[in-house]
């Protein structure tokens, strides 16, 4: 016997507009119908009687959120997880708050540790629990390492890159790379291996001058354009502003290049819109300059997301969390975030004055486009039934993933 459809009625966030009174019909793991009550009645005369008795519940429904840069939560972290259970704890800390599509991020570590994590996380991606893996390092800048452990930063190694992609069963989504490192671009380079393997370069943790940044952006654009089975058309930029040489008008570094390239439809910039890593006004300004398609919200969350202040681990390094701000115990560098992606949407709307539809877009469609996955990130017929309902303060009320309630 077929399960009864789940029917929801409230305010709905669509990719381009807000529907003040809308209906969502979930059947199995799929969105079977969506639209105004009248439209859904026409589409689905068989559920007319149920629609008659359904009233607007005062909640706002949006697609399940898509976070493409996340190290952990719930006390566990992907860079430290050695078991499936540990990784699932981190996944659930985000899923329960509305992030139904999650990419697990590693940190810079020894090659054998990275290969071990790649195998564990790749299997979780194969099983549909993760959307893929993001390697943050190890080919990054010593000068702009942030919370990456300098001991394990190495020169670009195409062979290791290939091994990592294979260990993830080709579920590698992105790898953070510093453009200025010798051998990053060119024939048989790390960039070539990544794109050929179905992943994307994510420029970041960089001390590059404008010329090196521009050359890397142009090179990755060229390789992407000629690769047929590419994941997406565009490279990404790992947490714009954080972990890179700051913008100064006489010493510009890479940021103006990233912005200029993105403004022309090039790279998509990640922003950690948690109110801590970036002032919300700079998030709004970048969104205004580039447009929502060129921006993606990420949490960069670590083990403390959803947990109290205290001491945590981020890969090989100790982290102290005070008032929700994570810093390395040694050196004081910000060491990841403690937000979930819905928190970033809330900061964008309430503190950054970004319209809700666009804030949700940058937390859903933008990430889905980078993943190359058309079944997530949108409330459209045929997509996965990944739905999040929130109250008027944008706090989560209920989450469905693949049509099932998430506790
Ligand atoms: Zn990170």
């Amino acid at each position: 016997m077929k399960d009864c459809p789940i029917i929801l009625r409230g305010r709905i966030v669509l990719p381009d507009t807000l529907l003040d009174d809308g209906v969502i019909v979930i059947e199995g793991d799929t969105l079977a119908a969506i639209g105004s009550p009248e439209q859904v009645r026409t589409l689905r005369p068989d559920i007319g009687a149920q629609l008659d008795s359904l009233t607007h519940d005062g909640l706002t429904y949006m697609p399940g959120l898509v976070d493409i840069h996340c190290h952990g939560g719930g006390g566990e972290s992907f860079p430290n997880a050695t078991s499936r259970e540990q990784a699932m704890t981190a996944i659930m800390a985000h899923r329960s708050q509305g992030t139904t599509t999650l990419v697990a991020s590693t940190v810079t570590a020894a090659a054998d540790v990275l290969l071990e994590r790649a195998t564990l996380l790749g299997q979780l991606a194969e099983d549909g629990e993760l959307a893929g893996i993001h390697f943050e390092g190890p080919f990054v800048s010593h000068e702009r390492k942030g919370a990456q452990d300098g001991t394990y930063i190495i020169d670009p190694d195409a062979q290791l890159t290939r091994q990592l992609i294979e260990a993830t069963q080709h579920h590698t989504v992105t790898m953070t790379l510093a453009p200025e490192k010798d051998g990053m671009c060119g024939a048989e380079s790390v960039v070539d291996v990544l794109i050929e393997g179905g992943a994307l370069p994510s420029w970041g943790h960089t001390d590059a001058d404008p010329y090196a940044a521009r050359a890397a952006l142009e090179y990755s654009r060229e390789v992407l354009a000629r690769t047929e089975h590419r994941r997406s058309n565009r490279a990404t930029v790992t947490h714009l502003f954080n972990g890179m040489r700051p913008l100064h008008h006489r010493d510009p570094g890479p940021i103006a290049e990233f912005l200029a390239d993105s403004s022309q439809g090039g790279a998509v910039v990640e922003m950690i819109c948690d109110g801590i890593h970036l002032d919300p006004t700079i998030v709004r300004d970048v969104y205004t300059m580039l447009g929502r398609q060129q921006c993606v919200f990420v949490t960069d969350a670590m083990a403390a997301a959803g947990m109290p202040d205290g001491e945590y681990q981020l890969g090989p390094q100790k982290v102290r969390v005070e008032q929700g701000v994570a810093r390395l115990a040694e050196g004081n560098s910000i060491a990841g975030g403690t937000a979930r992606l819905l928190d970033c949407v809330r900061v964008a709307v309430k503190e950054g004055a970004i319209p809700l539809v666009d804030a949700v877009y940058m937390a859903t469609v933008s990430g889905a486009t980078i993943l190359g996955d058309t079944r997530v990130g949108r409330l459209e017929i045929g997509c996965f039934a990944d739905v999040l309902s929130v109250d008027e303060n944008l706090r989560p009320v209920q989450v469905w993933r693949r049509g099932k309630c998430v506790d």
Side-chain angles (χ1 to χ4, degrees), residues 20-21 26 40 69 75 93 104 108 130 148 159 185 187 203 224 254 258 272 296 311 315 321 337 377 403:
D20 281 326
D21 184 9
I26 297 173
V40 172
H69 183 161
T108 296
L130 287 171
Q148 305 294 314
Q159 181 58 23
C185 299
W203 302 111
L224 281 166
F258 292 149
I272 312 172
V296 59
E311 306 237 321
V321 179

Side-chain angles (χ1 to χ4, degrees), residues 69-71 105-107 134 136 148 205 238-239 270 272 300-301 314 336:
H69 183 161
C70 175
H71 300 276
S105 301
T106 62
V107 292
H134 157 229
E136 194 159 6
Q148 305 294 314
H205 280 290
T238 297
H239 43 53
E270 292 180 2
I272 312 172
D300 197 13
L314 180 64

Side-chain angles (χ1 to χ4, degrees), residues 132-161:
I133 292 90
H134 157 229
F135 292 101
E136 194 159 6
F139 318 132
V140 292
S141 155
H142 274 282
E143 289 78 10
R144 302 291 168 189
K145 65 184 189 304
Q148 305 294 314
D149 190 335
T151 321
Y152 301 105
I153 292 176
I154 53 174
D155 288 335
D157 181 340
Q159 181 58 23
L160 175 59
T161 307

Side-chain angles (χ1 to χ4, degrees), residues 3 23-24 72 77 86 126 138 147 179-180 187 201 217 222 228 232 244 260 285 289 342 344 346 373 383:
D3 283 345
V23 172
I24 297 170
S77 85
Q86 289 172 308
E126 187 65 19
E180 67 273 26
L217 290 162
E222 217 179 276
E228 263 176 44
S232 154
M244 53 185 72
D285 293 340
M289 284 188 285
L342 183 60
C344 297
R346 189 182 317 109
D373 190 340
C383 285

